[in-house]
Structure formats: C-alpha cells, structure tokens
Amino acid sequence: MIHKPVLQKEVLHYLNPKSNENFIDCTVGEGGHSISILDKSGPNGMLLGIDLDSRQIENARNSLSDFEERVILQNDSYVNIKDIVARENFRPINGIIMDLGYSSQQIEQSKRGFSFSRDEILDMRYDMQNTLTAEKIINEYSENEIGRILRDYGEEKFFRQIARRIVGERQKKRIESTKELIEVIRMALPPKFRKGRIHFATKSFQALRIEVNSELDNLKKALPKAIEILSSGGRLVVISFHSLEDRIVKIFFKEKESEHLVKILTKKPITADSKELSSNLRSRSAKLRAVIKI
Ligand code: SAH
C-alpha cells in the first residue's frame, strides 16, 4: 500500500467501532481506515466503502480481501450516500468516516496531473466519467473565471496575475501539461515568491482540483445526508486537508449542535502527533473533527 492512512488511531478513537457494528467509509481509497475499522467490528459488522475513482475501488477490493464477506464496495460519489444506503438496505449505521481529498496512490500512479513534481497531462479527475478536466479549465474558462477559482479555492493572492498570464500564453499554444502550467505560474509571480518552503504552484493546483471535482460543493451536500442516515448514538468523523474544507465542517457541526441534532466530540480540530508528522507528509495539513448523533 502506497498510501498511509492519516490519523488512524484518532479515527478509531472517535469512531469507536465495536463488535458487529456497521460503518460507511465515504472515501475508501486503498482501504487504510476501513481495515482498522473491520478489525474492530468483527465477526459480523459490515462496511460500506465508497469511492469515486474506479481504480481505488479495485485497490480497496485487494486490500480488504480478508474481510470479503463483510464488505460492500460502490464506485460512486459520497454525495449519493443516501441513495446507496437505501439501495443496499444498509442499516443500522453506527459510524461514517470521510477522509477527504486525494490519496498518495493517486498522486504517484494515476498520471492525471495531481502533482506539480511530475510532468503529466492536466487532468485531475477522480471520476474518469466527469467531462471537466483541469486542461479544459485552463484553456477554455474566461480569465475572470480562472481568477475566481484561484482566489476562492486556492486563496492565491496573485490570482489576477496568474489568470492573466494563463490567458496570454494559451493564445500562443494550448497549455496541456503540468510542466507547462507551472512555468506559466512561475512567470506570473514576482521573483521572490517563486522560492520558498511551499511550492509556488501549490495553491493553484489545489484550486484546480477543487473545481474539477466540485469538492467543496460535494462536502456541503454530503454532510447533512450523513447525519440524516446515522443511527442515534452513531458517529461522523471527517478529516480535511485545507482550511476551506475544515471551515465547512466546523460551521456545519456547530449549526447541527445548535439544533440539538449532534454533540461535538472535538472542541478543537485534532491534528497529527509529532511522530506521525515526521513520517507522513500528508498528515501535516490534516484536521479531524467528529460528532455523535443525539
Ligand atoms: N482513507 C483512504 C484514503 C482516502 S483519499 C485510505 O486510507 O486508503 C481520498 C479518496 O476519496 C480518494 O480515493 C478519492 O478518489 C476519493 N474521493 C474524492 N471525492 C470523492 C467523492 N465525491 N465521493 C467518493 N470518493 C471520493
């Protein structure tokens, strides 16, 4: 397994899986979290694993093969969680986990341009049926639209300069690869912002990925559905990887707490301990929040 699950012991602590309970892993990926949940929910607890990326479903099928009879896998979006649960007659639901974003596996092996450290086509889709790609955004969206995406989804302060440069360059030639895009971004930035601990294209890449996969909209739509389908006493655990996601989760949990639908279990977001921080890069930005349904 290439992908190391983040905050694994914290997920188990807040999800608190017990013998014969049922769980949904909304982002099953390579099954990292699912394995440890299944370990605790035997002998009869079921796990419904969902992933938008069909290759991740195959990866999960392999890594969860020891638990075959207790696992249902669905290649779908967690936005459809309610329909999936109804169709599979999956209940009661004792806990739900969402481990947002993308996995190391997708960065390393998908060849879909998720990383600025590789020269790949500008794709960035989790779902290969999706008709929108990063290449289409870069070459076909208006300058204003691109600027808005970089500002709202990347919190990129040079959004205007980058959008202008993209639109200028694409008139000479379509921008088709991550390498070409990085060079355009580099040229748009004042020289002293081209260096630094964090790569200068990080925010733009995040923004494109969010737009391609409607990540924030999906999260906003799925959270209420997750609460709705949980049994009383069931838990929802969400791990986010940037402030935009975390803000959505935090505000949603507060709102539901004020409606007396849930109790928040994490007053402050839970982050990785120093041991994990030093061994798993992806854990650096991870924030976990959890609620229990009343
Ligand atoms: N917890 C997993 C890793 C999850 S990485 C593990 O331990 O192995 C995030 C996963 O969410 C990726 O596999 C990605 O394809 C998937 N994903 C992203 N958006 C999704 C959506 N809307 N619905 C379902 N899965 C999604």
Side-chain angles (χ1 to χ4, degrees):
M1 207 182 288
I2 295 177
H3 181 86
K4 277 196 215 137
V6 299
L7 296 170
Q8 194 159 30
K9 66 174 191 301
E10 293 82 357
V11 165
L12 285 181
H13 175 77
Y14 286 101
L15 215 47
N16 193 24
K18 300 209 183 72
S19 187
N20 300 335
E21 289 186 332
N22 300 326
F23 292 88
I24 304 180
D25 187 340
C26 290
T27 50
V28 67
E30 287 145 83
H33 288 300
S34 286
I35 290 181
S36 57
I37 294 168
L38 285 158
D39 258 337
K40 305 266 179 202
S41 64
N44 296 313
M46 296 291 294
L47 180 121
L48 170 63
I50 303 170
D51 205 291
L52 200 47
D53 184 341
S54 60
R55 282 204 253 169
Q56 291 287 68
I57 291 291
E58 280 170 39
N59 292 330
R61 206 176 298 289
N62 288 331
S63 63
L64 302 177
S65 60
D66 286 351
F67 303 97
E68 214 181 328
E69 316 78 54
R70 297 204 281 129
V71 174
I72 301 168
L73 293 172
Q74 293 278 317
N75 180 202
D76 203 332
S77 172
Y78 57 63
V79 168
N80 303 321
I81 188 172
K82 246 181 98 178
D83 305 329
I84 301 170
V85 161
R87 197 169 64 219
E88 297 293 325
N89 200 8
F90 192 82
R91 67 199 151 98
I93 298 161
N94 304 102
I96 301 178
I97 160 115
M98 305 176 75
D99 179 13
L100 301 171
Y102 52 172
S103 80
S104 317
Q105 154 85 26
Q106 288 164 316
I107 302 181
E108 302 296 326
Q109 295 191 334
S110 72
K111 302 198 169 64
R112 294 182 210 154
F114 285 114
S115 163
F116 38 71
S117 57
R118 291 163 185 274
D119 189 21
E120 296 175 350
I121 51 162
L122 281 170
D123 186 317
M124 299 198 188
R125 288 173 295 176
Y126 301 137
D127 175 9
M128 299 311 275
Q129 315 289 326
N130 180 355
T131 51
L132 182 62
T133 63
E135 201 262 4
K136 200 161 168 181
I137 295 170
I138 291 295
N139 292 288
E140 295 173 22
Y141 275 25
S142 70
E143 181 176 333
N144 270 339
E145 277 281 286
I146 294 173
R148 178 191 60 79
I149 290 166
L150 298 178
R151 185 194 62 201
D152 292 352
Y153 297 161
E155 300 180 308
E156 170 57 68
K157 90 177 151 192
F158 297 105
F159 68 94
R160 264 196 212 93
Q161 289 87 330
I162 297 173
R164 192 176 313 136
R165 194 87 200 197
I166 287 172
V167 170
E169 291 299 318
R170 78 187 187 189
Q171 279 159 3
K172 301 178 209 156
K173 177 196 164 304
R174 258 182 110 88
I175 300 164
E176 289 171 327
S177 69
T178 50
K179 199 169 156 198
E180 286 166 7
L181 177 61
I182 288 164
E183 182 54 21
V184 174
I185 296 172
R186 200 182 66 79
M187 290 186 303
L189 296 175
K192 71 169 179 175
F193 289 94
R194 297 173 188 171
K195 301 192 196 81
R197 193 173 64 85
I198 300 191
H199 192 282
F200 61 79
T202 305
K203 292 176 172 177
S204 301
F205 270 61
Q206 170 185 307
L208 286 167
R209 212 192 72 222
I210 291 175
E211 172 72 9
V212 167
N213 299 292
S214 315
E215 292 184 34
L216 302 181
D217 280 348
N218 287 344
L219 180 60
K220 283 185 197 149
K221 286 185 193 150
L223 288 171
K225 296 183 186 177
I227 296 294
E228 209 183 310
I229 62 175
L230 266 182
S231 300
S232 107
R235 290 144 178 259
L236 171 62
V237 172
V238 185
I239 306 175
S240 63
F241 291 89
H242 51 78
S243 55
L244 300 167
E245 284 174 345
D246 185 54
R247 202 174 305 146
I248 292 171
V249 179
K250 176 172 137 187
I251 291 171
F252 174 79
F253 282 1
K254 283 210 167 125
E255 192 183 295
K256 294 297 137 186
E257 190 170 61
S258 71
E259 294 168 16
H260 306 292
L261 285 172
V262 304
K263 187 179 173 328
I264 294 174
L265 300 172
T266 47
K267 226 172 168 175
K268 292 239 169 71
I270 307 299
T271 53
D273 59 27
S274 55
K275 188 165 157 249
E276 181 171 10
L277 286 172
S278 62
S279 65
N280 189 355
L281 267 182
R282 188 169 173 268
S283 74
R284 283 199 304 200
S285 46
K287 290 203 164 89
L288 179 152
R289 293 182 188 268
V291 291
I292 184 161
K293 184 163 169 182
I294 292 170

